[in-house]
PDB file of all heavy atoms in Angstrom:
ATOM      1  N   ARG A  78     -22.153 -20.580  15.642  1.00 88.00           N
ATOM      2  CA  ARG A  78     -21.364 -19.372  15.933  1.00 88.00           C
ATOM      3  C   ARG A  78     -20.912 -19.428  17.456  1.00 88.00           C
ATOM      4  O   ARG A  78     -19.758 -19.092  17.796  1.00 88.00           O
ATOM      5  CB  ARG A  78     -22.301 -18.217  15.896  1.00 88.00           C
ATOM      6  CG  ARG A  78     -21.617 -16.859  16.172  1.00 88.00           C
ATOM      7  CD  ARG A  78     -22.488 -15.721  15.932  1.00 88.00           C
ATOM      8  NE  ARG A  78     -21.796 -14.383  16.205  1.00 88.00           N
ATOM      9  CZ  ARG A  78     -21.020 -13.874  15.359  1.00 88.00           C
ATOM     10  NH1 ARG A  78     -20.741 -14.367  14.113  1.00 88.00           N
ATOM     11  NH2 ARG A  78     -20.405 -12.646  15.705  1.00 88.00           N
ATOM     12  N   ASN A  79     -21.705 -19.851  18.367  1.00 91.00           N
ATOM     13  CA  ASN A  79     -21.288 -20.011  19.790  1.00 91.00           C
ATOM     14  C   ASN A  79     -20.159 -21.031  20.020  1.00 91.00           C
ATOM     15  O   ASN A  79     -19.224 -20.875  20.746  1.00 91.00           O
ATOM     16  CB  ASN A  79     -22.559 -20.362  20.645  1.00 91.00           C
ATOM     17  CG  ASN A  79     -23.419 -19.162  20.866  1.00 91.00           C
ATOM     18  OD1 ASN A  79     -22.995 -18.022  20.535  1.00 91.00           O
ATOM     19  ND2 ASN A  79     -24.657 -19.434  21.261  1.00 91.00           N
ATOM     20  N   ALA A  80     -20.288 -22.147  19.174  1.00 92.00           N
ATOM     21  CA  ALA A  80     -19.206 -23.169  19.075  1.00 92.00           C
ATOM     22  C   ALA A  80     -17.868 -22.514  18.747  1.00 92.00           C
ATOM     23  O   ALA A  80     -16.812 -22.831  19.213  1.00 92.00           O
ATOM     24  CB  ALA A  80     -19.633 -24.356  18.361  1.00 92.00           C
ATOM     25  N   ALA A  81     -17.962 -21.732  17.616  1.00 91.00           N
ATOM     26  CA  ALA A  81     -16.712 -21.038  17.148  1.00 91.00           C
ATOM     27  C   ALA A  81     -16.235 -20.109  18.130  1.00 91.00           C
ATOM     28  O   ALA A  81     -15.065 -19.950  18.357  1.00 91.00           O
ATOM     29  CB  ALA A  81     -17.139 -20.269  15.830  1.00 91.00           C
ATOM     30  N   ASN A  82     -17.162 -19.442  18.880  1.00 92.00           N
ATOM     31  CA  ASN A  82     -16.700 -18.516  19.976  1.00 92.00           C
ATOM     32  C   ASN A  82     -15.928 -19.243  21.061  1.00 92.00           C
ATOM     33  O   ASN A  82     -14.967 -18.719  21.596  1.00 92.00           O
ATOM     34  CB  ASN A  82     -17.996 -17.861  20.576  1.00 92.00           C
ATOM     35  CG  ASN A  82     -17.683 -16.473  21.131  1.00 92.00           C
ATOM     36  OD1 ASN A  82     -18.517 -15.592  21.034  1.00 92.00           O
ATOM     37  ND2 ASN A  82     -16.473 -16.301  21.647  1.00 92.00           N
ATOM     38  N   LEU A  83     -16.470 -20.455  21.420  1.00 93.00           N
ATOM     39  CA  LEU A  83     -15.732 -21.282  22.423  1.00 93.00           C
ATOM     40  C   LEU A  83     -14.367 -21.672  21.958  1.00 93.00           C
ATOM     41  O   LEU A  83     -13.288 -21.645  22.669  1.00 93.00           O
ATOM     42  CB  LEU A  83     -16.540 -22.443  22.740  1.00 93.00           C
ATOM     43  CG  LEU A  83     -17.902 -22.272  23.611  1.00 93.00           C
ATOM     44  CD1 LEU A  83     -18.675 -23.581  23.672  1.00 93.00           C
ATOM     45  CD2 LEU A  83     -17.561 -21.851  25.015  1.00 93.00           C
ATOM     46  N   ALA A  84     -14.301 -22.095  20.621  1.00 92.00           N
ATOM     47  CA  ALA A  84     -12.992 -22.526  20.020  1.00 92.00           C
ATOM     48  C   ALA A  84     -12.059 -21.332  20.079  1.00 92.00           C
ATOM     49  O   ALA A  84     -10.835 -21.475  20.288  1.00 92.00           O
ATOM     50  CB  ALA A  84     -13.274 -22.991  18.636  1.00 92.00           C
ATOM     51  N   TRP A  85     -12.600 -20.109  19.779  1.00 92.00           N
ATOM     52  CA  TRP A  85     -11.658 -18.876  19.841  1.00 92.00           C
ATOM     53  C   TRP A  85     -11.109 -18.742  21.198  1.00 92.00           C
ATOM     54  O   TRP A  85      -9.903 -18.445  21.438  1.00 92.00           O
ATOM     55  CB  TRP A  85     -12.596 -17.687  19.486  1.00 92.00           C
ATOM     56  CG  TRP A  85     -11.919 -16.391  19.789  1.00 92.00           C
ATOM     57  CD1 TRP A  85     -10.614 -16.083  19.617  1.00 92.00           C
ATOM     58  CD2 TRP A  85     -12.617 -15.153  20.231  1.00 92.00           C
ATOM     59  NE1 TRP A  85     -10.421 -14.694  19.841  1.00 92.00           N
ATOM     60  CE2 TRP A  85     -11.599 -14.059  20.336  1.00 92.00           C
ATOM     61  CE3 TRP A  85     -13.921 -14.875  20.532  1.00 92.00           C
ATOM     62  CZ2 TRP A  85     -12.012 -12.847  20.679  1.00 92.00           C
ATOM     63  CZ3 TRP A  85     -14.211 -13.535  20.958  1.00 92.00           C
ATOM     64  CH2 TRP A  85     -13.239 -12.639  21.051  1.00 92.00           C
ATOM     65  N   GLY A  86     -11.945 -19.043  22.267  1.00 93.00           N
ATOM     66  CA  GLY A  86     -11.394 -18.952  23.644  1.00 93.00           C
ATOM     67  C   GLY A  86     -10.330 -19.944  23.857  1.00 93.00           C
ATOM     68  O   GLY A  86      -9.384 -19.656  24.706  1.00 93.00           O
ATOM     69  N   LEU A  87     -10.300 -21.108  23.339  1.00 92.00           N
ATOM     70  CA  LEU A  87      -9.200 -22.050  23.442  1.00 92.00           C
ATOM     71  C   LEU A  87      -7.942 -21.485  22.895  1.00 92.00           C
ATOM     72  O   LEU A  87      -6.855 -21.757  23.514  1.00 92.00           O
ATOM     73  CB  LEU A  87      -9.618 -23.369  22.720  1.00 92.00           C
ATOM     74  CG  LEU A  87     -10.608 -24.263  23.378  1.00 92.00           C
ATOM     75  CD1 LEU A  87     -11.032 -25.376  22.378  1.00 92.00           C
ATOM     76  CD2 LEU A  87     -10.225 -24.781  24.657  1.00 92.00           C
ATOM     77  N   ILE A  88      -7.868 -20.705  21.829  1.00 91.00           N
ATOM     78  CA  ILE A  88      -6.671 -20.022  21.307  1.00 91.00           C
ATOM     79  C   ILE A  88      -6.352 -18.841  22.159  1.00 91.00           C
ATOM     80  O   ILE A  88      -5.222 -18.688  22.611  1.00 91.00           O
ATOM     81  CB  ILE A  88      -6.993 -19.700  19.821  1.00 91.00           C
ATOM     82  CG1 ILE A  88      -7.268 -20.998  19.053  1.00 91.00           C
ATOM     83  CG2 ILE A  88      -5.746 -18.960  19.253  1.00 91.00           C
ATOM     84  CD1 ILE A  88      -7.657 -20.634  17.540  1.00 91.00           C
ATOM     85  N   ALA A  89      -7.291 -17.945  22.346  1.00 87.00           N
ATOM     86  CA  ALA A  89      -7.056 -16.716  23.012  1.00 87.00           C
ATOM     87  C   ALA A  89      -8.268 -16.416  23.878  1.00 87.00           C
ATOM     88  O   ALA A  89      -9.389 -16.080  23.385  1.00 87.00           O
ATOM     89  CB  ALA A  89      -6.811 -15.577  22.066  1.00 87.00           C
ATOM     90  N   PRO A  90      -8.073 -16.496  25.280  1.00 88.00           N
ATOM     91  CA  PRO A  90      -6.812 -16.542  25.904  1.00 88.00           C
ATOM     92  C   PRO A  90      -6.276 -17.899  26.321  1.00 88.00           C
ATOM     93  O   PRO A  90      -5.264 -17.908  27.130  1.00 88.00           O
ATOM     94  CB  PRO A  90      -7.037 -15.839  27.224  1.00 88.00           C
ATOM     95  CG  PRO A  90      -8.561 -16.135  27.511  1.00 88.00           C
ATOM     96  CD  PRO A  90      -9.173 -16.335  26.169  1.00 88.00           C
ATOM     97  N   GLY A  91      -6.802 -19.037  25.847  1.00 88.00           N
ATOM     98  CA  GLY A  91      -6.352 -20.390  26.302  1.00 88.00           C
ATOM     99  C   GLY A  91      -4.847 -20.614  26.060  1.00 88.00           C
ATOM    100  O   GLY A  91      -4.069 -20.711  26.978  1.00 88.00           O
ATOM    101  N   LEU A  92      -4.449 -20.666  24.796  1.00 91.00           N
ATOM    102  CA  LEU A  92      -3.091 -20.811  24.485  1.00 91.00           C
ATOM    103  C   LEU A  92      -2.160 -19.669  24.837  1.00 91.00           C
ATOM    104  O   LEU A  92      -0.956 -19.791  25.149  1.00 91.00           O
ATOM    105  CB  LEU A  92      -2.934 -21.166  22.963  1.00 91.00           C
ATOM    106  CG  LEU A  92      -3.442 -22.507  22.627  1.00 91.00           C
ATOM    107  CD1 LEU A  92      -3.267 -22.722  21.032  1.00 91.00           C
ATOM    108  CD2 LEU A  92      -2.757 -23.719  23.297  1.00 91.00           C
ATOM    109  N   VAL A  93      -2.796 -18.468  24.774  1.00 88.00           N
ATOM    110  CA  VAL A  93      -2.110 -17.207  25.077  1.00 88.00           C
ATOM    111  C   VAL A  93      -1.597 -17.411  26.618  1.00 88.00           C
ATOM    112  O   VAL A  93      -0.487 -17.132  26.967  1.00 88.00           O
ATOM    113  CB  VAL A  93      -3.003 -16.013  24.909  1.00 88.00           C
ATOM    114  CG1 VAL A  93      -2.214 -14.759  25.475  1.00 88.00           C
ATOM    115  CG2 VAL A  93      -3.326 -15.809  23.443  1.00 88.00           C
ATOM    116  N   PHE A  94      -2.576 -17.737  27.499  1.00 80.00           N
ATOM    117  CA  PHE A  94      -2.199 -17.897  28.873  1.00 80.00           C
ATOM    118  C   PHE A  94      -1.214 -19.065  29.069  1.00 80.00           C
ATOM    119  O   PHE A  94      -0.326 -18.859  29.900  1.00 80.00           O
ATOM    120  CB  PHE A  94      -3.502 -18.155  29.737  1.00 80.00           C
ATOM    121  CG  PHE A  94      -4.253 -16.868  30.040  1.00 80.00           C
ATOM    122  CD1 PHE A  94      -3.811 -15.708  29.596  1.00 80.00           C
ATOM    123  CD2 PHE A  94      -5.340 -16.974  30.856  1.00 80.00           C
ATOM    124  CE1 PHE A  94      -4.503 -14.562  29.918  1.00 80.00           C
ATOM    125  CE2 PHE A  94      -6.007 -15.747  31.271  1.00 80.00           C
ATOM    126  CZ  PHE A  94      -5.577 -14.583  30.789  1.00 80.00           C
ATOM    127  N   ALA A  95      -1.462 -20.152  28.480  1.00 85.00           N
ATOM    128  CA  ALA A  95      -0.531 -21.375  28.675  1.00 85.00           C
ATOM    129  C   ALA A  95       0.910 -21.100  28.279  1.00 85.00           C
ATOM    130  O   ALA A  95       1.743 -21.322  29.146  1.00 85.00           O
ATOM    131  CB  ALA A  95      -1.101 -22.528  27.783  1.00 85.00           C
ATOM    132  N   PHE A  96       1.064 -20.482  27.129  1.00 90.00           N
ATOM    133  CA  PHE A  96       2.451 -20.078  26.718  1.00 90.00           C
ATOM    134  C   PHE A  96       2.996 -19.059  27.486  1.00 90.00           C
ATOM    135  O   PHE A  96       4.119 -18.882  27.904  1.00 90.00           O
ATOM    136  CB  PHE A  96       2.435 -19.787  25.226  1.00 90.00           C
ATOM    137  CG  PHE A  96       2.302 -20.827  24.264  1.00 90.00           C
ATOM    138  CD1 PHE A  96       1.364 -20.910  23.247  1.00 90.00           C
ATOM    139  CD2 PHE A  96       3.041 -22.053  24.421  1.00 90.00           C
ATOM    140  CE1 PHE A  96       1.321 -21.979  22.256  1.00 90.00           C
ATOM    141  CE2 PHE A  96       2.984 -23.176  23.532  1.00 90.00           C
ATOM    142  CZ  PHE A  96       2.101 -23.077  22.476  1.00 90.00           C
ATOM    143  N   GLY A  97       2.105 -17.971  27.668  1.00 84.00           N
ATOM    144  CA  GLY A  97       2.487 -16.778  28.450  1.00 84.00           C
ATOM    145  C   GLY A  97       2.941 -16.990  29.873  1.00 84.00           C
ATOM    146  O   GLY A  97       4.043 -16.585  30.410  1.00 84.00           O
ATOM    147  N   ILE A  98       2.087 -17.805  30.599  1.00 80.00           N
ATOM    148  CA  ILE A  98       2.477 -18.103  32.037  1.00 80.00           C
ATOM    149  C   ILE A  98       3.758 -19.068  32.066  1.00 80.00           C
ATOM    150  O   ILE A  98       4.600 -18.770  32.931  1.00 80.00           O
ATOM    151  CB  ILE A  98       1.304 -18.759  32.652  1.00 80.00           C
ATOM    152  CG1 ILE A  98      -0.038 -17.833  32.764  1.00 80.00           C
ATOM    153  CG2 ILE A  98       1.684 -19.165  34.124  1.00 80.00           C
ATOM    154  CD1 ILE A  98      -1.190 -18.502  33.340  1.00 80.00           C
ATOM    155  N   ALA A  99       3.777 -20.110  31.184  1.00 85.00           N
ATOM    156  CA  ALA A  99       4.886 -20.898  31.172  1.00 85.00           C
ATOM    157  C   ALA A  99       6.160 -20.115  30.800  1.00 85.00           C
ATOM    158  O   ALA A  99       7.268 -20.350  31.450  1.00 85.00           O
ATOM    159  CB  ALA A  99       4.717 -22.004  30.116  1.00 85.00           C
ATOM    160  N   GLY A 100       6.053 -19.180  29.906  1.00 88.00           N
ATOM    161  CA  GLY A 100       7.271 -18.384  29.628  1.00 88.00           C
ATOM    162  C   GLY A 100       7.624 -17.508  30.773  1.00 88.00           C
ATOM    163  O   GLY A 100       8.871 -17.292  31.032  1.00 88.00           O
ATOM    164  N   ALA A 101       6.643 -16.851  31.342  1.00 80.00           N
ATOM    165  CA  ALA A 101       6.931 -15.959  32.364  1.00 80.00           C
ATOM    166  C   ALA A 101       7.620 -16.543  33.594  1.00 80.00           C
ATOM    167  O   ALA A 101       8.343 -15.919  34.332  1.00 80.00           O
ATOM    168  CB  ALA A 101       5.670 -15.118  32.875  1.00 80.00           C
ATOM    169  N   ALA A 102       7.241 -17.848  33.842  1.00 79.00           N
ATOM    170  CA  ALA A 102       7.785 -18.521  34.899  1.00 79.00           C
ATOM    171  C   ALA A 102       9.312 -18.911  34.712  1.00 79.00           C
ATOM    172  O   ALA A 102      10.014 -19.045  35.674  1.00 79.00           O
ATOM    173  CB  ALA A 102       7.109 -19.958  35.084  1.00 79.00           C
ATOM    174  N   ARG A 103       9.757 -18.876  33.449  1.00 83.00           N
ATOM    175  CA  ARG A 103      11.162 -19.152  33.126  1.00 83.00           C
ATOM    176  C   ARG A 103      12.072 -17.877  33.002  1.00 83.00           C
ATOM    177  O   ARG A 103      13.191 -17.880  33.335  1.00 83.00           O
ATOM    178  CB  ARG A 103      11.291 -19.940  31.849  1.00 83.00           C
ATOM    179  CG  ARG A 103      10.664 -21.370  31.886  1.00 83.00           C
ATOM    180  CD  ARG A 103      10.934 -22.058  30.552  1.00 83.00           C
ATOM    181  NE  ARG A 103      12.295 -22.275  30.306  1.00 83.00           N
ATOM    182  CZ  ARG A 103      13.013 -23.362  30.455  1.00 83.00           C
ATOM    183  NH1 ARG A 103      12.440 -24.373  31.003  1.00 83.00           N
ATOM    184  NH2 ARG A 103      14.235 -23.387  30.280  1.00 83.00           N
ATOM    185  N   THR A 104      11.401 -16.794  32.491  1.00 82.00           N
ATOM    186  CA  THR A 104      12.141 -15.579  32.243  1.00 82.00           C
ATOM    187  C   THR A 104      11.748 -14.502  33.239  1.00 82.00           C
ATOM    188  O   THR A 104      11.029 -14.701  34.196  1.00 82.00           O
ATOM    189  CB  THR A 104      11.893 -15.151  30.797  1.00 82.00           C
ATOM    190  OG1 THR A 104      12.935 -14.049  30.520  1.00 82.00           O
ATOM    191  CG2 THR A 104      10.585 -14.655  30.601  1.00 82.00           C
ATOM    192  N   GLU A 105      12.288 -13.369  33.118  1.00 74.00           N
ATOM    193  CA  GLU A 105      12.032 -12.194  34.005  1.00 74.00           C
ATOM    194  C   GLU A 105      11.011 -11.229  33.432  1.00 74.00           C
ATOM    195  O   GLU A 105      10.738 -11.249  32.212  1.00 74.00           O
ATOM    196  CB  GLU A 105      13.295 -11.606  34.533  1.00 74.00           C
ATOM    197  CG  GLU A 105      14.307 -11.286  33.489  1.00 74.00           C
ATOM    198  CD  GLU A 105      13.986  -9.967  32.729  1.00 74.00           C
ATOM    199  OE1 GLU A 105      13.700  -8.970  33.319  1.00 74.00           O
ATOM    200  OE2 GLU A 105      13.944 -10.124  31.496  1.00 74.00           O
ATOM    201  N   GLY A 106      10.441 -10.425  34.344  1.00 69.00           N
ATOM    202  CA  GLY A 106       9.404  -9.578  33.985  1.00 69.00           C
ATOM    203  C   GLY A 106       9.567  -8.594  32.805  1.00 69.00           C
ATOM    204  O   GLY A 106       8.670  -8.408  31.980  1.00 69.00           O
ATOM    205  N   LEU A 107      10.835  -8.083  32.752  1.00 69.00           N
ATOM    206  CA  LEU A 107      11.055  -7.002  31.737  1.00 69.00           C
ATOM    207  C   LEU A 107      11.119  -7.627  30.353  1.00 69.00           C
ATOM    208  O   LEU A 107      10.492  -7.061  29.394  1.00 69.00           O
ATOM    209  CB  LEU A 107      12.355  -6.291  32.074  1.00 69.00           C
ATOM    210  CG  LEU A 107      12.720  -5.152  31.042  1.00 69.00           C
ATOM    211  CD1 LEU A 107      11.719  -4.045  31.221  1.00 69.00           C
ATOM    212  CD2 LEU A 107      14.105  -4.604  31.365  1.00 69.00           C
ATOM    213  N   SER A 108      11.635  -8.849  30.244  1.00 76.00           N
ATOM    214  CA  SER A 108      11.690  -9.512  28.955  1.00 76.00           C
ATOM    215  C   SER A 108      10.258  -9.769  28.505  1.00 76.00           C
ATOM    216  O   SER A 108       9.895  -9.723  27.295  1.00 76.00           O
ATOM    217  CB  SER A 108      12.427 -10.820  29.014  1.00 76.00           C
ATOM    218  OG  SER A 108      13.861 -10.494  29.166  1.00 76.00           O
ATOM    219  N   VAL A 109       9.314 -10.316  29.496  1.00 76.00           N
ATOM    220  CA  VAL A 109       7.917 -10.575  29.132  1.00 76.00           C
ATOM    221  C   VAL A 109       7.342  -9.292  28.511  1.00 76.00           C
ATOM    222  O   VAL A 109       6.607  -9.271  27.548  1.00 76.00           O
ATOM    223  CB  VAL A 109       7.268 -10.933  30.418  1.00 76.00           C
ATOM    224  CG1 VAL A 109       5.706 -11.130  30.074  1.00 76.00           C
ATOM    225  CG2 VAL A 109       7.755 -12.404  30.830  1.00 76.00           C
ATOM    226  N   VAL A 110       7.530  -8.173  29.311  1.00 68.00           N
ATOM    227  CA  VAL A 110       6.981  -6.903  28.821  1.00 68.00           C
ATOM    228  C   VAL A 110       7.383  -6.459  27.418  1.00 68.00           C
ATOM    229  O   VAL A 110       6.637  -6.014  26.566  1.00 68.00           O
ATOM    230  CB  VAL A 110       7.312  -5.802  29.781  1.00 68.00           C
ATOM    231  CG1 VAL A 110       7.029  -4.410  29.296  1.00 68.00           C
ATOM    232  CG2 VAL A 110       6.493  -6.058  31.184  1.00 68.00           C
ATOM    233  N   MET A 111       8.717  -6.603  27.202  1.00 71.00           N
ATOM    234  CA  MET A 111       9.195  -6.078  25.930  1.00 71.00           C
ATOM    235  C   MET A 111       8.908  -7.001  24.830  1.00 71.00           C
ATOM    236  O   MET A 111       8.634  -6.548  23.579  1.00 71.00           O
ATOM    237  CB  MET A 111      10.827  -5.981  26.040  1.00 71.00           C
ATOM    238  CG  MET A 111      11.159  -4.959  27.073  1.00 71.00           C
ATOM    239  SD  MET A 111      10.286  -3.433  27.070  1.00 71.00           S
ATOM    240  CE  MET A 111      10.613  -2.757  25.420  1.00 71.00           C
ATOM    241  N   ILE A 112       8.820  -8.254  24.960  1.00 79.00           N
ATOM    242  CA  ILE A 112       8.329  -9.203  23.865  1.00 79.00           C
ATOM    243  C   ILE A 112       6.877  -8.937  23.570  1.00 79.00           C
ATOM    244  O   ILE A 112       6.398  -8.878  22.339  1.00 79.00           O
ATOM    245  CB  ILE A 112       8.567 -10.715  24.368  1.00 79.00           C
ATOM    246  CG1 ILE A 112      10.014 -10.971  24.349  1.00 79.00           C
ATOM    247  CG2 ILE A 112       7.950 -11.581  23.359  1.00 79.00           C
ATOM    248  CD1 ILE A 112      10.329 -12.233  24.970  1.00 79.00           C
ATOM    249  N   TRP A 113       5.977  -8.661  24.528  1.00 75.00           N
ATOM    250  CA  TRP A 113       4.665  -8.208  24.251  1.00 75.00           C
ATOM    251  C   TRP A 113       4.569  -6.931  23.586  1.00 75.00           C
ATOM    252  O   TRP A 113       3.551  -6.704  22.896  1.00 75.00           O
ATOM    253  CB  TRP A 113       3.910  -8.240  25.526  1.00 75.00           C
ATOM    254  CG  TRP A 113       3.232  -9.556  25.855  1.00 75.00           C
ATOM    255  CD1 TRP A 113       3.672 -10.436  26.748  1.00 75.00           C
ATOM    256  CD2 TRP A 113       2.058 -10.028  25.202  1.00 75.00           C
ATOM    257  NE1 TRP A 113       2.835 -11.528  26.733  1.00 75.00           N
ATOM    258  CE2 TRP A 113       1.849 -11.312  25.819  1.00 75.00           C
ATOM    259  CE3 TRP A 113       1.171  -9.561  24.330  1.00 75.00           C
ATOM    260  CZ2 TRP A 113       0.755 -12.072  25.486  1.00 75.00           C
ATOM    261  CZ3 TRP A 113       0.038 -10.367  23.947  1.00 75.00           C
ATOM    262  CH2 TRP A 113      -0.159 -11.647  24.538  1.00 75.00           C
ATOM    263  N   GLY A 114       5.650  -6.178  23.619  1.00 70.00           N
ATOM    264  CA  GLY A 114       5.683  -4.963  22.753  1.00 70.00           C
ATOM    265  C   GLY A 114       5.744  -5.155  21.304  1.00 70.00           C
ATOM    266  O   GLY A 114       5.411  -4.282  20.491  1.00 70.00           O
ATOM    267  N   THR A 115       6.013  -6.413  20.847  1.00 75.00           N
ATOM    268  CA  THR A 115       5.957  -6.635  19.348  1.00 75.00           C
ATOM    269  C   THR A 115       4.495  -6.975  18.956  1.00 75.00           C
ATOM    270  O   THR A 115       4.223  -7.014  17.652  1.00 75.00           O
ATOM    271  CB  THR A 115       6.791  -7.909  18.967  1.00 75.00           C
ATOM    272  OG1 THR A 115       6.221  -9.035  19.680  1.00 75.00           O
ATOM    273  CG2 THR A 115       8.233  -7.643  19.452  1.00 75.00           C
ATOM    274  N   PHE A 116       3.530  -7.094  19.838  1.00 78.00           N
ATOM    275  CA  PHE A 116       2.230  -7.510  19.496  1.00 78.00           C
ATOM    276  C   PHE A 116       1.535  -6.584  18.533  1.00 78.00           C
ATOM    277  O   PHE A 116       0.773  -6.986  17.673  1.00 78.00           O
ATOM    278  CB  PHE A 116       1.333  -7.518  20.782  1.00 78.00           C
ATOM    279  CG  PHE A 116      -0.169  -7.749  20.510  1.00 78.00           C
ATOM    280  CD1 PHE A 116      -0.519  -9.057  20.055  1.00 78.00           C
ATOM    281  CD2 PHE A 116      -0.983  -6.836  20.852  1.00 78.00           C
ATOM    282  CE1 PHE A 116      -1.849  -9.355  19.899  1.00 78.00           C
ATOM    283  CE2 PHE A 116      -2.343  -7.066  20.540  1.00 78.00           C
ATOM    284  CZ  PHE A 116      -2.817  -8.273  20.138  1.00 78.00           C
ATOM    285  N   PRO A 117       1.729  -5.201  18.607  1.00 73.00           N
ATOM    286  CA  PRO A 117       1.076  -4.302  17.619  1.00 73.00           C
ATOM    287  C   PRO A 117       1.477  -4.626  16.164  1.00 73.00           C
ATOM    288  O   PRO A 117       0.604  -4.623  15.326  1.00 73.00           O
ATOM    289  CB  PRO A 117       1.635  -2.879  18.051  1.00 73.00           C
ATOM    290  CG  PRO A 117       2.044  -3.044  19.485  1.00 73.00           C
ATOM    291  CD  PRO A 117       2.494  -4.457  19.705  1.00 73.00           C
ATOM    292  N   LEU A 118       2.700  -5.006  15.920  1.00 74.00           N
ATOM    293  CA  LEU A 118       3.105  -5.255  14.559  1.00 74.00           C
ATOM    294  C   LEU A 118       2.699  -6.781  14.086  1.00 74.00           C
ATOM    295  O   LEU A 118       2.361  -6.911  12.996  1.00 74.00           O
ATOM    296  CB  LEU A 118       4.549  -5.021  14.454  1.00 74.00           C
ATOM    297  CG  LEU A 118       4.893  -3.476  14.831  1.00 74.00           C
ATOM    298  CD1 LEU A 118       6.307  -3.388  15.311  1.00 74.00           C
ATOM    299  CD2 LEU A 118       4.605  -2.579  13.653  1.00 74.00           C
TER     300      LEU A 118
END
Side-chain angles (χ1 to χ4, degrees):
R78 182 177 182 83
N79 287 343
N82 208 149
L83 290 171
W85 170 38
L87 288 172
I88 298 173
L92 291 178
V93 175
F94 277 6
F96 287 131
I98 298 174
R103 295 183 60 104
T104 191
E105 45 78 53
L107 185 62
S108 292
V109 173
V110 166
M111 299 314 299
I112 293 171
W113 270 99
T115 64
F116 175 70
L118 300 158

